[in-house]
Amino acid sequence: MNKYKYIDAQLVGGNKNTGFTAFQIYYLTRQVLKLTSHLELHSEDYSSQRGLQKLLGKRRRLLIYLSHKNTALYTDILKNLGIRGLKRR
């Protein structure tokens, strides 16, 4: 969790502006990691699987928005969080 505090301070500048797109992507990524570890233990928890799919869809939409508005921040977030980029449409 120490890595996430560092990323939080770096991406968001230390403030907890929950309306900031980068913070929302960061928060959704943390939730995705928690749900993924839960599903490794409970593979037949279909409610959690559906919740994970919804979170991934929301994060994907935010990434699309950010890639159009601020490409530099988009690439910085991908690098720091260690998530894959979007497929080009």
Side-chain angles (χ1 to χ4, degrees), residues 1-8 26 80-82:
M1 286 308 217
N2 206 7
K3 173 186 173 185
Y4 295 113
K5 289 182 183 177
Y6 170 74
I7 292 173
D8 183 25
Y26 162 74
N80 287 334
L81 292 180

Side-chain angles (χ1 to χ4, degrees), residues 21-79:
T21 308
F23 182 80
Q24 291 180 11
I25 292 170
Y26 162 74
Y27 183 71
L28 287 171
T29 302
R30 286 187 66 179
Q31 286 185 320
V32 164
L33 292 174
K34 287 180 186 179
L35 268 177
T36 303
S37 66
H38 168 76
L39 286 171
E40 287 175 355
L41 297 175
H42 309 282
S43 60
E44 294 184 9
D45 188 356
Y46 298 114
S47 298
S48 293
Q49 286 178 8
R50 185 171 190 272
L52 178 63
Q53 290 172 351
K54 289 178 76 68
L55 288 176
L56 289 173
K58 184 179 285 190
R59 186 177 75 177
R60 185 175 145 268
R61 288 191 300 274
L62 285 171
L63 285 170
I64 290 171
Y65 171 80
L66 191 63
S67 69
H68 293 311
K69 295 293 181 182
N70 192 345
T71 308
L73 183 60
Y74 168 75
T75 55
D76 190 36
I77 286 175
L78 291 181
K79 182 180 71 168

